[in-house]
Amino acid sequence: MARATPEELQTLLELLRQLRGISGLREDKPGIFHLRGVAFVHFHNDGGLLVADLKKKGGSGFDRCPVATPVQQRKLVDDARRRASGRDDD
């Protein structure tokens, strides 16, 4: 599955802005974020829908997160903020 293109990421500008505001995250390329040098969140086009892969709690693999609606985007930001701070309690 291909990573989302810069053109596809244009539909997620507010979401990306919020991710950029999370302490410790670094955006190495558009839509590709690292935390302490390790891949943390990035985006894919999955059959025409954009989704995010967010590093799993405990650091092994990724959780696939839909980002089509504002509610889904808010959940991704909240989960990313918790995981980046080390206090993922879900």
Side-chain angles (χ1 to χ4, degrees):
M1 173 179 325
R3 294 264 170 99
T5 66
E7 293 78 21
E8 291 168 329
L9 291 173
Q10 289 295 307
T11 64
L12 301 176
L13 291 178
E14 178 58 23
L15 171 60
L16 294 173
R17 184 192 66 74
Q18 291 178 48
L19 290 172
R20 290 173 185 135
I22 296 175
S23 180
L25 287 190
R26 188 180 80 223
E27 188 177 23
D28 293 333
K29 294 181 182 177
I32 301 174
F33 294 85
H34 286 80
L35 179 67
R36 294 184 287 278
V38 176
F40 185 73
V41 64
H42 55 270
F43 298 87
H44 292 280
N45 183 324
D46 186 4
L49 295 174
L50 291 180
V51 296
D53 281 350
L54 176 63
K55 192 70 156 178
K56 283 185 183 250
K57 180 180 174 180
S60 179
F62 291 87
D63 288 321
R64 176 72 33 102
C65 306
V67 294
T69 69
V71 170
Q72 292 170 335
Q73 292 177 18
R74 168 53 46 203
K75 181 174 180 348
L76 173 67
V77 171
D78 290 346
D79 289 348
R81 191 170 280 123
R82 274 195 308 276
R83 293 179 192 190
S85 72
R87 57 178 178 78
D88 187 15
D89 50 10
D90 59 349

